[in-house]
């Protein structure tokens, strides 16, 4: 049993099926086109962002080169100044030498010249010869120092260039990886229809991407090694600073550059305040007792009389004047004792907040700040030159 259909009915039904199939295919194609446009939009945004990053990198590179040129110019000016000063001293010594020769000729012409004058002249000649020899040695040391600094500067410049090249290569590699990932994403969406050529391209891009990521990992390991080397150099500088501090401990506190004991309590205000309240030996005893008590407070890690405030987006610790101990101290003994205690507190909190014990620090007493390693070395050299002149 079945339905009896004419040829026209069969043709009409086939036509409807065909039309429905075409309509479904057209809808599917339209959806694919919309997804492709979205992917193209994301790709364009990524390309624009990468272009902006490259422009920023070029600007940073230009600023860096300009700073390097300034540093080189300052170094040249500094060495030219040193050479000019040494040349001036050398000329002065030559002029003194000529003057001594003229005096020698004049004294030789005099028949009534005594032996003491001749001996004095010989001594002056020897001193001048020794001074000339010392100056020559000093010039040689300066030249060697200049050459050593020049070599070190060239090494540093080469290292900077190498690091810059590695940074550029790393950034370029990261940009290339991002571009390949974007292309791979586009290929993935395009390859959903089963296109064999697209899948082959995707496989090729995946292999290239893996190679780039391996290369990037190698560069990261190299950067880590350079960071370790930098830390080692920093440790060496810290060791040099410690040796300089140890060497300057014996110098007088009146020197411009010296060692300051950070967190040490100044006992003079305590004696002054005690003399206002007590008399005779009792004042000294009370001062010592009070000073010892506050030294114990300073060493107590459980006592933290600070408050945190925010200044221009950064947190900063200040003395909490509402702390009971601080408040009572100021009311009973005055501002000078209060300032001595708060100064020691701030120094302790800045240089050794966890251990709460006194540490020695290289200090610029003229400007009231932490001295740099360069300032300490320059001060030592000046002291050595001064001592050398006194001996001569």
């Amino acid at each position: 049993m079945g339905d009896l259909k004419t040829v026209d009915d069969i043709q009409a039904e086939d036509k409807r099926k065909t039309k429905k199939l075409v309509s479904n295919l057209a809808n599917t194609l339209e959806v694919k086109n919309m997804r492709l446009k979205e992917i193209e939009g994301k790709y364009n945004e990524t390309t624009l962002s990468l272009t902006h990053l490259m422009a920023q990198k070029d600007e940073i590179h230009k600023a860096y080169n300009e700073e390097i040129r300034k540093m080189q110019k300052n170094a040249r000016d500094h060495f030219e100044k040193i050479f000019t000063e040494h040349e001036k001293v050398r000329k002065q010594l030559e002029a003194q030498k000529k003057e001594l020769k003229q005096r020698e000729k004049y004294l030789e012409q005099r028949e009534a010249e005594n032996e003491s004058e001749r001996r004095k002249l010989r001594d002056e000649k020897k001193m001048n010869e020794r001074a000339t020899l010392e100056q020559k040695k000093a010039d040689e040391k300066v030249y060697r120092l200049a050459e050593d600094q020049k070599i070190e500067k060239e090494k540093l410049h080469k290292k900077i260039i190498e690091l810059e090249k590695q940074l550029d290569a790393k950034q370029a590699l990261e940009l290339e990886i991002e571009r390949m990932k974007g292309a791979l994403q586009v290929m993935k969406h395009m390859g959903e229809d089963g296109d064999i050529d697209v899948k082959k391209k995707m496989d090729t891009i995946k292999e290239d991407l893996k190679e780039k990521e391996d290369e990037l990992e190698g560069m990261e390991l190299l950067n880590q090694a350079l960071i370790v080397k930098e830390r080692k150099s920093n440790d060496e500088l810290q060791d040099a600073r410690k040796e300089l501090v140890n060497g300057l401990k014996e110098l007088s506190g009146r020197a411009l550059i010296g060692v300051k004991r950070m967190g040490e309590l100044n006992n003079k205000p305590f004696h002054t305040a005690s003399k206002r309240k007590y008399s005779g030996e009792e004042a000294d005893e009370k001062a010592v007792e009070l000073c010892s008590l506050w030294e114990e407070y300073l060493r107590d890690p459980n006592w933290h009389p600070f408050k945190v405030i925010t200044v221009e987006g950064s947190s900063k610790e200040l003395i909490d004047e509402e702390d009971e101990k601080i408040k009572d101290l100021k009311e009973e003994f005055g501002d000078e004792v209060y300032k001595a205690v708060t100064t020691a507190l701030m120094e302790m909190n800045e240089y050794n907040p966890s251990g709460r014990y006194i540490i020695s620090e290289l200090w610029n007493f003229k400007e009231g700040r932490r001295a740099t390693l360069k300032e300490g070395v320059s001060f030592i050299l000046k002291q050595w030159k001064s001592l050398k002149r006194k001996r001569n």
Side-chain angles (χ1 to χ4, degrees):
M1 299 296 290
D3 295 332
L4 183 62
K5 296 181 180 179
T6 63
V7 174
D8 293 336
D9 292 336
I10 293 173
Q11 290 178 349
E13 185 177 357
D14 291 337
K15 189 174 181 180
R16 283 194 304 272
K17 291 180 179 180
T18 302
K19 186 176 181 180
K20 184 177 181 181
L21 180 61
V22 171
S23 176
N24 291 335
L25 291 175
N27 292 333
T28 302
L29 182 60
E30 185 178 357
V31 171
K32 293 288 185 180
N33 288 332
M34 289 176 65
R35 291 182 63 186
L36 181 60
K37 287 180 179 179
E38 290 178 359
I39 292 171
E40 288 178 350
K42 292 181 179 178
Y43 178 78
N44 291 332
E45 290 178 0
T46 304
T47 303
L48 182 62
S49 176
L50 293 177
T51 304
H52 181 64
L53 286 174
M54 291 297 292
Q56 288 181 345
K57 185 182 78 66
D58 292 338
E59 291 178 0
I60 294 172
H61 183 70
K62 290 179 181 178
Y64 173 78
N65 289 336
E66 184 65 24
E67 187 66 23
I68 287 296
R69 283 194 291 271
K70 289 181 181 179
M71 290 174 62
Q72 291 175 346
K73 184 177 181 301
N74 292 335
R76 287 196 299 270
D77 294 340
H78 179 67
F79 284 119
E80 287 177 0
K81 183 178 179 181
I82 291 176
F83 291 140
T84 302
E85 291 178 355
H86 280 276
E87 184 66 21
K88 184 178 178 181
V89 173
R90 188 182 63 81
K91 289 181 179 179
Q92 290 177 352
L93 288 173
E94 289 180 354
Q96 291 178 359
K97 188 176 181 181
K98 290 180 180 179
E99 183 180 355
L100 290 172
K101 286 183 178 179
Q102 291 175 357
R103 287 181 60 188
E104 183 181 12
K105 289 180 181 179
Y106 174 74
L107 291 174
E108 287 176 354
Q109 292 174 359
R110 293 178 55 184
E111 296 180 356
E113 181 176 322
N114 55 41
E115 186 65 23
S116 62
E117 286 292 330
R118 292 179 181 175
R119 189 179 299 110
K120 183 179 179 181
L121 179 61
R122 287 195 297 269
D123 292 339
E124 288 181 353
K125 285 178 63 178
K126 290 179 180 179
M127 289 177 62
N128 181 262
E129 289 175 356
R130 287 198 296 268
T132 304
L133 183 60
E134 290 295 330
Q135 181 63 34
K136 185 177 179 181
K137 292 180 179 179
D139 289 340
E140 292 176 355
K141 289 181 180 179
V142 169
Y143 288 130
R144 286 198 297 270
L145 179 62
E147 289 296 326
D148 293 339
Q149 290 185 355
K150 183 178 179 182
I151 293 172
E152 290 296 327
K153 187 170 68 177
E154 289 177 354
K155 289 180 179 179
L156 180 61
H157 186 59
K158 289 179 180 179
K159 183 178 178 181
I160 291 173
I161 293 175
E162 182 181 354
L163 290 174
E164 183 183 1
K165 289 181 179 179
Q166 291 176 358
L167 179 61
D168 291 339
K170 181 182 176 183
Q171 291 178 347
L173 188 59
E174 289 176 347
L175 292 175
E176 181 66 16
I177 290 174
E178 291 297 327
R179 186 191 66 78
M180 293 177 70
K181 285 182 178 179
L184 183 62
Q185 193 70 18
V186 173
M187 289 291 183
K188 186 183 294 183
H189 288 290
M190 294 178 63
E192 290 179 354
D193 295 335
D195 192 339
I196 297 176
D197 293 335
V198 172
K199 289 183 177 180
K200 289 182 179 180
K201 290 181 180 179
M202 285 176 62
D203 293 338
T204 303
I205 292 175
K206 285 181 179 179
E207 292 178 359
D208 294 340
L209 181 60
K210 188 177 184 307
E211 292 178 359
K212 297 293 184 182
E213 288 177 344
D214 293 339
E215 185 178 351
L216 180 61
E217 184 179 356
M219 294 186 70
E220 289 289 347
L221 294 175
L222 179 60
N223 286 336
Q224 291 296 326
L226 292 175
I227 290 172
V228 171
K229 188 175 181 180
E230 182 183 1
R231 289 178 179 172
K232 183 179 179 181
S233 300
N234 186 55
D235 291 340
E236 292 176 354
L237 289 176
Q238 293 299 324
D239 293 339
R241 188 178 183 89
K242 289 179 181 178
E243 290 296 327
L244 189 60
V245 168
N246 293 331
L248 289 173
K249 281 182 178 179
E250 299 178 359
L251 293 180
S252 173
R254 293 176 295 177
L256 297 180
I257 304 296
V259 177
K260 183 178 180 182
R261 290 166 58 82
M262 309 308 294
E264 186 175 34
L265 189 61
N266 184 9
N267 57 9
K268 290 182 180 180
F270 290 91
H271 286 276
T272 303
S274 294
K275 288 179 181 179
R276 288 197 298 262
K277 297 185 65 174
Y278 308 99
S279 60
E281 295 181 357
E282 185 181 4
D284 293 334
E285 292 177 357
K286 291 291 184 181
V288 173
E289 181 180 346
L290 184 63
C291 191
S292 299
L293 176 64
W294 279 96
E295 284 178 348
E296 291 181 3
Y297 288 157
L298 290 175
R299 291 192 294 267
D300 185 6
N302 296 321
W303 183 52
H304 194 76
F306 294 95
K307 60 182 178 180
V308 180
I309 63 172
T310 303
V311 180
E312 296 181 356
S314 60
S315 298
K316 185 177 181 181
E317 283 191 331
L318 297 177
I319 296 294
D320 185 7
E321 297 183 359
E322 298 301 321
D323 182 82
E324 292 183 2
K325 293 180 181 178
I326 295 291
K327 193 174 181 180
D328 294 342
L329 176 70
K330 188 173 183 181
E331 291 177 354
E332 185 175 358
F333 295 98
D335 292 336
E336 292 183 358
V337 175
Y338 165 80
K339 185 177 180 181
V341 172
T342 53
T343 300
L345 265 173
M346 293 297 291
E347 291 177 352
M348 192 81 75
N349 191 52
E350 180 180 358
Y351 287 88
N352 191 14
S354 59
R356 284 292 188 98
Y357 55 86
I358 297 172
I359 63 172
S360 299
E361 179 58 87
L362 191 64
W363 196 257
N364 187 324
F365 290 98
K366 182 180 179 181
E367 301 181 9
R369 60 171 175 80
R370 184 175 184 264
T372 62
L373 186 62
K374 181 180 178 181
E375 290 174 338
V377 173
S378 298
F379 176 74
I380 289 292
L381 289 176
K382 287 181 181 178
Q383 295 293 108
W384 176 77
K385 289 180 180 179
S386 176
L387 181 62
K388 182 180 177 182
R389 284 195 296 269
K390 289 180 181 179
R391 288 179 178 177
N392 291 333

